Amino acid sequence: GAVVSQHPSWVICKSGTSVKIECRSLDFQATTMFWYRQFPKQSLMLMATSNEGSKATYEQGVEKDKFLINHASLTLSTLTVTSAHPEDSSFYICSANQGDYGYTFGSGTRLTVV
Amino acid sequence: GESVGLHLPTLSVQEGDNSIINCAYSNSASDYFIWYKQESGKGPQFIIDIRSNMDKRQGQRVTVLLNKTVKHLSLQIAATQPGDSAVYFCAENSGGSNYKLTFGKGTLLTVNP
């Protein structure tokens, strides 16, 4: 079946630094990739939608200059949290879509900003 | 704005019992719904899906019911096992060419042995 690899699975960084999270579709081409953020005991909140070769579409309230998304190929999308602060600590999850109703989720990245 | 919500935040059942997890949605344009299971520290795991032209779909030990009249979705798990303990989310395809998924709040299912 379709597999999405997300790395790193966890990361601890100092406040003010940037962190990059990678999301790769291993055996299929992802037309669209979605990035979600999940706080403890809460649901997944969509941050942005990215299509290969074009700019990401951000959800209302998500700072595009803080959460940089790059979708340079059909198998790789990256999320960079710039100038991270403790309030950015969260569980980030990517999902890849093949242009239909099939969604494959990554295993998530636990970001802790200290 | 429109969103997907759940009636019960927690559900505790005995092993072997049947579980029913409910979800209310408000976007009448949604045409595709998915139930996900999420274990602690992991990404969502697909359980079962249903399109809006159906009202029932069955899988292995799971059944999803869709009532478009009242915009209600439910997940039934038969003979619930301890391994079913997790948070369950319903998600809806909220339309558009990007196939965005909107998630409900989640229900924590605890199965007692």
Side-chain angles (χ1 to χ4, degrees):
Chain A
V3 177
V4 168
S5 175
Q6 185 173 343
H7 290 282
S9 56
W10 61 270
V11 58
I12 301 173
C13 71
K14 292 185 177 180
S15 186
T17 62
S18 295
V19 174
K20 181 184 285 187
I21 302 170
E22 290 190 351
C23 182
R24 292 181 184 273
S25 57
L26 298 185
D27 49 3
F28 68 97
Q29 293 185 328
T31 306
T32 307
M33 285 195 178
F34 305 92
W35 287 95
Y36 294 84
R37 179 169 54 184
Q38 185 178 31
F39 292 108
K41 300 187 186 302
Q42 294 189 23
S43 186
L44 283 73
M45 298 300 297
L46 181 65
M47 299 175 66
T49 302
S50 73
N51 293 297
E52 183 264 340
S54 59
K55 291 184 178 180
T57 301
Y58 290 81
E59 295 299 302
Q60 189 174 6
V62 178
E63 301 175 58
K64 63 180 181 180
D65 294 330
K66 181 170 185 61
F67 299 100
L68 301 179
I69 292 172
N70 184 286
H71 193 164
S73 76
L74 284 171
T75 60
L76 175 64
S77 177
T78 61
L79 167 67
T80 301
V81 183
T82 63
S83 187
H85 291 284
E87 57 266 30
D88 298 324
S89 298
S90 188
F91 192 54
Y92 292 87
I93 307 170
C94 68
S95 172
N97 177 275
Q98 303 173 62
D100 55 13
Y101 289 104
Y103 304 87
T104 306
F105 283 82
S107 54
T109 297
R110 173 74 59 195
L111 170 63
T112 302
V113 185
V114 297
Chain B
E2 296 187 314
S3 64
V4 178
L6 288 171
H7 297 303
L8 297 173
T10 61
L11 177 63
S12 183
V13 300
Q14 291 298 122
E15 181 178 1
D17 287 352
N18 296 331
S19 303
I20 299 176
I21 300 172
N22 296 300
C23 177
Y25 68 95
S26 57
N27 188 342
S28 57
S30 294
D31 60 358
Y32 180 59
F33 305 87
I34 310 173
W35 278 102
Y36 287 97
K37 172 186 180 183
Q38 186 181 31
E39 296 175 302
S40 182
K42 297 183 179 180
Q45 175 188 349
F46 174 93
I47 301 175
I48 193 168
D49 59 358
I50 189 168
R51 294 184 187 269
S52 60
N53 61 354
M54 303 172 68
D55 53 20
K56 180 179 180 179
R57 190 154 188 244
Q58 289 184 293
Q60 187 177 12
R61 283 201 307 118
V62 294
T63 301
V64 55
L65 299 178
L66 174 63
N67 186 330
K68 294 182 289 294
T69 302
V70 295
K71 298 190 182 71
H72 185 266
L73 195 67
S74 69
L75 175 69
Q76 300 177 3
I77 305 175
T80 316
Q81 303 167 1
D84 295 328
S85 295
V87 178
Y88 290 81
F89 294 97
C90 64
E92 62 177 326
N93 178 294
S94 46
S97 58
N98 272 332
Y99 299 95
K100 285 200 312 186
L101 276 183
T102 301
F103 280 77
K105 296 180 182 177
T107 294
L108 173 62
L109 174 65
T110 302
V111 182
N112 303 306

